[in-house]
Amino acid sequence: MNADQLAVSAPTTSPRPDAAPSLRIRALMLGDRINASGLEIGTLVSSTPAAFRVHAGLAVIFRYGVVVLIGLLPSEEKVLIDSLKSRVIGEFSPYEEEIAQAQLCKDENREAIQPGGPICLSKFSDDRLLLVADALAKSTSLARDERRVAAVFDVIEPFARELAEFGRTPRRRKGILQLIGNALLVQQRVAGRVAVAEKPDVLWEKPELDRLYARLEDEYELKERLDTLERKLTAVSETANALTDIIDTQRSLRLEIAVVVLIVIEVVIGCVQILSGTH
């Protein structure tokens, strides 16, 4: 089935007969990773990312845990998601989800994305749909990472407040190290697996679609959200490192005091023994 057939056979959301054909696009983050190696769920459309023609729609699978379902019925989506569960590493519950609508505008020069409205495409070609899937998948992944970093901030805030108000540092060094670990995990995921700043492979073969992808980036604020996330990750790492250094310094000071006390006790005992021996 070709792209034109996809546009016609995909379910439309508008009941009006004169309405432009539209496609429902649903992105689901199922877990930390999805192993798409050797997967056969339909006709292969793309290998990077793995995209398959399924029924009258597309299923695009990203290795960083997101699957984007385009033009599928809810019942078809459920069957496909169930078939992927055995390939999901670190499954989430509930899934992270974003939904968009693509609409046929029949004019390449009018391809645009209205704020809060549908994504207007000149045609429902595989290349265009892969670009939309890429942007939506990155947005879905960023949404989860943003929540994780916000949760880390919620934990750090009491530590910083205690230090500011009472001059005391938290004694839970293990908890602070866990914060640093969470920040590093998010940082590694964003920079390594998701690679939000990188353009999709389809643009290397179809540079004329660069304008469309730029509009998608603007609509989902991918660059701005990535910059904000990286700044927050830097703040988390610096704060956690500072708290850890303070705790380590205090521990070192207590250890030095204990050593000095032991030396003094030993000297006193020695002096007592010497004095007692002279009498």
Side-chain angles (χ1 to χ4, degrees), residues 93-126:
S93 181
Y95 300 145
E96 190 72 37
E97 179 179 5
E98 284 197 36
I99 296 177
Q101 203 77 18
Q103 192 173 72
L104 206 59
C105 63
K106 299 181 181 180
D107 184 356
E108 188 170 349
N109 295 324
R110 293 181 57 193
E111 284 188 324
I113 306 168
Q114 302 298 327
I119 302 169
C120 293
L121 301 176
S122 62
K123 54 184 175 180
F124 292 153
S125 63
D126 292 339

Side-chain angles (χ1 to χ4, degrees), residues 191-204:
R193 278 188 255 169
V194 182
V196 175
E198 294 183 8
K199 292 186 177 181
D201 290 347
V202 66
L203 288 182
W204 296 104

Side-chain angles (χ1 to χ4, degrees), residues 145-154 186 229 232-233 236:
D145 290 334
E146 287 164 348
R147 267 198 290 278
R148 289 183 64 184
V149 172
V152 172
F153 265 94
D154 290 340
V186 175
L229 188 60
K232 288 183 177 181
L233 287 170
V236 169

Side-chain angles (χ1 to χ4, degrees), residues 6 20 24 52 69 81 103 114 134 155 175 194-195 212 218 243:
L6 171 62
R24 178 175 179 266
F52 301 88
L69 308 172
I81 292 169
Q103 192 173 72
Q114 302 298 327
D134 183 272
V155 177
V194 182
L212 171 61
D218 290 340
L243 290 172

